[in-house]
Amino acid sequence: MSSRNRGENLWKKAAGRLSNVVLLGFFATLFSLPVVTAGASFTALNVAMKSCLQEDNDSPLKLFVASFKRYFSKATGIWLLHLLCFAILLWDLIYYGIGKTTLEILAAAGIFVLLVFLLFESVMVFVIIPEEEDTKILPLMKKALDIALYSPLQSLMIITLLMTVILSAVFIFRMLLLVIPGVVAFLSWQILPDMLRRYRYRTK
């Protein structure tokens, strides 16, 4: 194959991948608009993005829709539980954060740590739902936290990427708001395979 043909193939592959990232990001945003469906949307996005990147799936949107339907029940239950936990912890953080006594400051610090742990766990839980389809909700969340804490640097990198993309979209490139989930999922799946591989190796 000539260098010109190789260049054209690489360009086509890059253009196809970019279009899939944009398309998946848009549909993930669209399917998340009712809010309660966001968990199923995040799960389907991870399934489709993994297939796109690791299996060169040229039509991941069909897989996205199929996965959304398949994992809807469990992913929605987990998502609603996360929303409840985040709401309670944020309320407590605000309540104790405005306090001035030593105990109130310590309580706020403890709640902040719990929020960080919950955030780390939420990085992974919507990734592993398809692999742990038969696992109940609480054991699934525990495993997600184990994976995240086993690779805290990578988890922190994913969270940093998420916040960076969101802030960039809000303050600089507002058109990115429509495709943020796709961009974050694409970047996250540059890190996730190594995290999952290390965890599986440890637990063998």
Side-chain angles (χ1 to χ4, degrees):
M1 183 182 293
S2 68
S3 59
R4 180 178 179 180
N5 288 336
R6 284 197 298 271
E8 289 177 353
N9 287 337
L10 287 173
W11 168 251
K12 288 180 180 178
K13 185 174 181 178
R17 187 155 289 181
L18 178 61
S19 66
N20 284 330
V21 169
V22 172
L23 191 63
L24 286 173
F26 174 75
F27 273 86
T29 301
L30 185 65
F31 278 52
S32 298
L33 288 180
V35 180
V36 295
T37 61
S41 182
F42 297 156
T43 303
L45 175 61
N46 276 300
V47 172
M49 189 62 70
K50 179 182 178 181
S51 178
C52 178
L53 296 178
Q54 296 186 356
E55 301 167 14
D56 290 325
N57 186 346
D58 293 329
S59 53
L61 187 56
K62 292 181 180 179
L63 182 58
F64 174 89
V65 174
S67 299
F68 181 87
K69 295 176 181 177
R70 179 173 180 176
Y71 304 114
F72 180 84
S73 179
K74 176 170 282 189
T76 300
I78 291 174
W79 170 245
L80 293 177
L81 184 57
H82 276 77
L83 283 181
L84 178 62
C85 291
F86 273 118
I88 292 172
L89 289 175
L90 284 172
W91 174 263
D92 287 342
L93 183 63
I94 292 171
Y95 177 80
Y96 288 108
I98 60 176
K100 296 181 180 179
T101 68
T102 302
L103 285 177
E104 287 173 331
I105 293 172
L106 289 174
I111 293 167
F112 180 78
V113 171
L114 288 176
L115 271 171
V116 171
F117 281 169
L118 186 60
L119 187 59
F120 270 34
E121 179 269 332
S122 66
V123 167
M124 293 305 307
V125 71
F126 297 109
V127 172
I128 66 172
I129 285 176
E131 299 179 5
E132 304 287 339
E133 193 171 358
D134 297 326
T135 305
K136 293 182 179 179
I137 289 179
L138 291 180
L140 182 65
M141 292 175 64
K142 181 181 181 301
K143 182 171 182 178
L145 182 60
D146 286 344
I147 295 173
L149 293 180
Y150 184 71
S151 302
L153 181 58
Q154 286 89 342
S155 297
L156 187 59
M157 287 172 63
I158 292 173
I159 294 170
T160 303
L161 286 172
L162 171 63
M163 297 308 299
T164 301
V165 172
I166 290 175
L167 291 175
S168 297
V170 171
F171 294 107
I172 304 175
F173 306 109
R174 295 198 174 177
M175 288 300 294
L176 272 177
L177 286 171
L178 293 175
V179 297
I180 276 177
V183 175
V184 172
F186 173 81
L187 294 174
S188 297
W189 273 101
Q190 312 305 310
I191 302 170
L192 285 168
D194 182 58
M195 285 181 66
L196 296 171
R197 187 165 48 249
R198 290 177 61 201
Y199 181 79
R200 291 192 192 103
Y201 179 78
R202 186 201 73 168
T203 54
K204 279 185 178 179

